[in-house]
Amino acid sequence: MSQGRRPQTTSRLAPRRRPGESATARLRVLFLINEAEPLVKVGGLADVGGSLPAALREIGLDVRLALPLHPTLRPLVKGERPSAALPISGARGPQTASIYTRRLGRVPLWLIDGPPLREADHIYHTRPEEDAGKLVFASIAALRHAAHCGWVPQVVHAHDWHTAAALHWMRSEASSVSPLSASAGVLTIHNLPYLGQNAGAALREYGLPPPGEPDGPAIGPDTPYAYVPEWARDALLALGIASAERIVAVSPTYAREILTPEYGSGLHGLLQARADGLTGILNGLDVRLWDPSRDSRLAARFDATRIDRRARNTAALRVGFGLDGHGERPLAGIVSRLDRQKGLDYALPALEGWLAAEGQLVVLAAGDPELQRAYVELGERHPGQVGVRIGYDPELAARIYAGAHLLVMPSRYEPCGLSQMIAMRYGCLPLVRSAGGLKDTVRDAERPGGTGFVFDAATPEALAQALARAMSLFAQPRRWRLLQLRGMKKEFGWANSARRYKQVYQQAVRARARSARLTQEAR
Ligand code: ADP
Ligand code: GLC
């Protein structure tokens, strides 16, 4: 995920095992991810890491979650002896990986530590190569630990470039004596442009030279690397795409978009070659966490039957941001990373139009320093009408979803997007660009079953037009209410998507068995 993002952590760990819980005969899945709410969160990756493993366990899978021991997680294991210590061979001699075991809710959790993780002072540094060493180390250590404790997963499920090296390792010479070389690999792509490039040094360090190098795997036409462009041979995500039995994009539209040059980040050829094994599965939400009828962070809890109470959250939000409380002005909200992806640069001129039409705005965002400045200045130019908080604040985020009338998400690309789904559950209408998961989850007010506002071009003009449409619909409270209620009643949980993942795992296991058979026959 994004380099330069800053972590947030809390430590709600529940060491609870269900009575009689047994792992036998259940599909074993090792889930490798770099963020998991509530332990460590930078963006939506953490929402998925914190909720999908639990949803998979709920449908009967034996899932274990491995997470690098990020600097902010260190206090959790202070003074404790690790449950396992394993030597990981490196170019400069073996390094010891320490594994601390916990539970995240009901999901067994392995926190992975070792020298390269201790050297890191952030989750994400500015350039991917600064993080590649620790991430390759953590990925290999998680796989080695599984073999070491005799729990051999049938599926290793990696997420984004951070853990993709695990899939490459499973297909490499280095793993040939490991029982995990027979496991199937699944890769979920949450954000394609973050490729994890320039990881050659890290790969060499841990005995995985990039394909095409003298000691690395061959790159001939019959190899998995045939479609990896030369420049991407040291990009961890490209190697994961080449090695995985099955690939998942986090929405059906994104699964199609990444096959095109416009959204393919230079890997569209590779992805097209793997299109048979690529599918789109929409993320779900942790609907217990994101529930306006139980959310204690709100000024007033509400649901579809008590939606009038929602106005108290709007009033509290206005007070919190020092906004003028008079009149029936629509209040737009932004809760976002500030990154080119999110389109909040071209949004600025369009938002001026919204403000000129007497709309109000609250912003909670962090990221690109120039954009941070631009939003702070917008707030200074419009006191009483615009409130801006730069930073990361989950509680304030919830208050914005619960109090703003409109959530603005003009993303240039959006693999899935969780904020628009949270907004809908909280009765806040999403205004989104028609891309990726935004297209799959929000239906325009002018269409039957509408739940928000959708526009096409990533331009200030197109966004301004959508904002103007929202403004005029806001003047028709009954229609507005209908849209709110529709969004609040939509099904955003994991149940369907978890079942789809289970099918993908089963397909991956079959594909792995098939290719092992073919390799055997060819010998
Ligand atoms: P992305 O992962 O690309 O950032 P998503 O919409 O998938 O976008 O997920 C964003 C998640 O991060 C949501 O849970 C949202 O509420 C949260 N979030 C984003 N920015 C902030 C912020 N500044 N403070 C608190 N939560 C934030
Ligand atoms: C990435 C994407 C976002 C997606 C999230 C979880 O951060 O930018 O669209 O919702 O991952 O899959």
Side-chain angles (χ1 to χ4, degrees), residues 93-105:
Q95 295 179 330
T96 302
S98 305
I99 319 292
Y100 298 88
T101 49
R102 287 282 192 288
R103 282 190 169 241
L104 183 58

Side-chain angles (χ1 to χ4, degrees), residues 153-421:
Q154 286 138 300
V155 177
V156 173
H157 186 179
H159 295 261
D160 274 352
W161 72 270
H162 321 121
T163 52
L167 307 182
H168 181 54
W169 184 87
M170 286 157 62
R171 301 293 159 260
S172 73
E173 266 308 299
S175 73
S176 53
V177 293
S178 164
L180 270 81
S181 63
S183 307
V186 173
L187 174 71
T188 293
I189 300 176
H190 297 261
N191 205 328
L192 182 66
Y194 293 97
L195 297 169
Q197 307 100 300
N198 306 323
L203 288 166
R204 276 178 227 110
E205 164 89 33
Y206 295 106
L208 295 170
E213 290 195 359
D215 295 331
I219 49 172
D222 296 330
T223 70
Y225 309 103
Y227 295 92
V228 176
E230 193 176 341
W231 60 264
R233 285 185 198 149
D234 64 355
L236 295 176
L237 191 65
L239 301 182
I241 293 171
S243 315
E245 266 67 39
R246 285 290 181 276
I247 302 158
V248 176
V250 287
S251 67
T253 295
Y254 197 54
R256 288 190 296 276
E257 286 173 344
I258 56 179
L259 300 176
T260 65
E262 187 186 352
Y263 291 99
S265 298
L267 295 186
H268 46 284
L270 170 64
L271 286 158
Q272 283 164 13
R274 302 276 354 246
D276 278 355
L278 168 67
T279 185
I281 303 181
L282 208 56
N283 288 331
L285 278 184
D286 182 340
V287 288
R288 273 171 286 211
L289 181 75
W290 293 111
D291 178 353
S293 71
R294 300 200 311 192
D295 194 330
S296 56
R297 300 169 292 193
L298 310 187
R301 298 177 211 178
F302 62 97
D303 59 25
T305 62
R306 293 175 300 163
I307 196 169
D308 289 340
R309 289 169 58 89
R310 191 177 189 278
R312 297 195 210 168
N313 291 305
T314 309
L317 197 59
R318 283 188 168 125
V319 171
F321 274 99
L323 299 188
D324 165 11
H326 302 297
E328 256 317 298
R329 296 171 178 191
L331 172 58
I334 291 175
V335 177
S336 189
R337 290 187 289 120
L338 287 176
D339 176 292
R340 203 187 127 72
Q341 168 186 352
K342 300 294 178 181
L344 292 168
D345 49 345
Y346 80 79
L348 279 161
L351 289 169
E352 293 282 6
W354 171 261
L355 299 172
E358 303 272 281
Q360 293 182 317
L361 175 69
V362 291
V363 180
L364 168 64
D368 180 284
E370 236 174 85
L371 269 179
Q372 289 186 176
R373 255 194 311 279
Y375 275 93
V376 169
E377 278 166 21
L378 184 74
E380 286 166 357
R381 277 202 308 279
H382 300 277
Q385 199 181 1
V386 177
V388 178
R389 271 312 130 73
I390 298 301
Y392 180 93
D393 184 342
E395 183 170 329
L396 184 57
R399 288 167 175 263
I400 294 178
Y401 295 126
H405 299 116
L406 195 69
L407 185 83
V408 182
M409 269 183 99
S411 308
R412 286 196 169 79
Y413 74 94
E414 195 61 72
C416 178
L418 293 161
S419 300
Q420 82 282 8
M421 296 196 242

